[in-house]
Amino acid sequence: MGQLQEAYQQFVQHDAEILVIAPQETFRVKDWRGQLKTPFRFLADPTAWVCAQYGIAKQLVVHEEWVNLPAAFIVDKSGILRYAHIGRGWPMSERATPDELLENLPR
């Protein structure tokens, strides 16, 4: 998450928005966002319905927490999926880097 926070202004310059979808209850996501002090939006997805729509609702246990597969998507303003990165599981190296995401933004 820290890498995305550091690169956030680059996304803004490309007229892009970051949305974090977390498979936890609203109160937990609100608390987590408050602790991280991120400038981007969060969506609580406690039933993993949204995650299932993107095919990433496979549950993993990481640090005694249930999480979904690490994934990043680029959806254009028309709602068309333009890029998808789906990791196979943990660790952090399975996540898309901000540079990868920036390179794949629509021009």
Side-chain angles (χ1 to χ4, degrees):
M1 194 72 59
Q3 289 180 332
L4 282 175
Q5 285 179 279
E6 291 171 11
Y8 181 70
Q9 285 306 315
Q10 292 177 58
F11 286 92
V12 170
Q13 291 170 357
H14 286 90
D15 196 27
E17 189 62 54
I18 295 173
L19 172 66
V20 175
I21 301 172
Q24 283 98 16
E25 298 86 358
T26 303
F27 74 92
R28 294 180 75 193
V29 173
K30 187 176 181 179
D31 182 58
W32 186 41
R33 182 176 187 232
Q35 289 177 33
L36 295 173
K37 296 180 176 48
T38 64
F40 34 88
R41 298 176 189 174
F42 280 65
L43 172 69
D45 186 24
T47 63
W49 186 86
V50 174
C51 293
Q53 302 309 302
Y54 286 95
I56 59 166
K58 178 181 175 186
Q59 295 284 286
L60 309 167
V61 178
V62 177
H63 305 297
E64 300 178 13
E65 278 289 326
W66 286 100
V67 298
N68 289 325
L69 289 173
F73 302 94
I74 295 175
V75 180
D76 71 12
K77 290 181 179 186
S78 299
I80 298 171
L81 180 66
R82 297 294 181 184
Y83 174 79
H85 174 98
I86 301 174
R88 294 172 298 211
W90 193 253
M92 292 294 286
S93 59
E94 288 291 322
R95 296 175 184 232
T97 66
D99 287 341
E100 288 175 74
L101 297 172
L102 288 164
E103 289 171 12
N104 285 285
L105 288 175
R107 304 284 173 203

